[in-house]
Amino acid sequence: MSDIVAKYQSVPTTCISDTMQGLHNMDSSIKPLKEEYHLAGRAFTVKMPVGDNLTVLKAIREAQPGDVLVIDAKGDTYRAIAGDFIVGLAKTLGIQGIVVDGVIRDIVGIKQLDFPVFCKGTTVAASGKAGWGELNVPISCGGTSVQPGDIIVGDADGVVVIPQAQEEEILQQALDKLVKDQEREASVSGNPEAVRAYLDKFLASSAGK
């Protein structure tokens, strides 16, 4: 994991999203299978036709350790892009996690792998393997554009995409916001008078806009 990706690992998606004005969030239906998952890595993109996951297997073979598979499955919720066996292959090869605009199956087995999977849910139907699809091309996942190499960050609140050309700038701004948020919380925590003073100040400034 590169230094900048490691730094993103400690930043909440909410801070990153605020820094980007909410413009690079995936659809809120894409959530982690476990709330404690926090994912950060570079996107290895997969464009697959509905119901055909052979390209996912190719991606697992070609991706580098630390990559995040970001899969454009067209939002399909009928056929799974993978089950616990295929997800286990990805974990064994050092892939950082999977984000898919679609669904998985074998949810109990995948949770036991303790491997970050962000998806729209689960199903029972498997995909076929005709072989169509593309790897490492621009895709749309969860309504958001993803380029190969973009940084993907996910946690309990959802998934954000950090464009590669802006990753340094966005990281610094997100870290600054995180510090300010922590300081704000500390200044009012457990103190009713401080809470009232904060609300009065905020509401007065908003009224003047």
Side-chain angles (χ1 to χ4, degrees), residues 103-125:
V103 293
I104 52 90
R105 68 176 193 166
D106 304 325
I107 184 173
V108 174
I110 291 177
K111 284 183 175 180
Q112 289 173 347
L113 289 170
D114 202 29
F115 175 81
V117 174
F118 290 68
C119 62
K120 300 183 79 171
T122 63
T123 185
V124 297

Side-chain angles (χ1 to χ4, degrees), residues 34-48:
K34 293 182 180 180
E35 284 192 358
E36 60 264 33
Y37 288 152
H38 194 292
L39 171 71
R42 293 201 180 275
F44 187 100
T45 59
V46 182
K47 181 180 287 188
M48 61 171 280

Side-chain angles (χ1 to χ4, degrees), residues 33 37 48 51-54 56-57 60 69 71 78-92 95 97-98 100 102-119 121-129:
L33 293 184
Y37 288 152
M48 61 171 280
D52 181 359
N53 75 346
L54 186 61
V56 176
L57 294 175
I60 291 171
L69 297 189
I71 304 169
Y78 185 76
R79 292 191 180 274
I81 60 97
D84 56 358
F85 176 73
I86 290 177
V87 172
L89 300 180
K91 179 179 179 180
T92 299
I95 290 170
I98 294 174
V100 56
V103 293
I104 52 90
R105 68 176 193 166
D106 304 325
I107 184 173
V108 174
I110 291 177
K111 284 183 175 180
Q112 289 173 347
L113 289 170
D114 202 29
F115 175 81
V117 174
F118 290 68
C119 62
T122 63
T123 185
V124 297
S127 287
K129 292 176 174 58

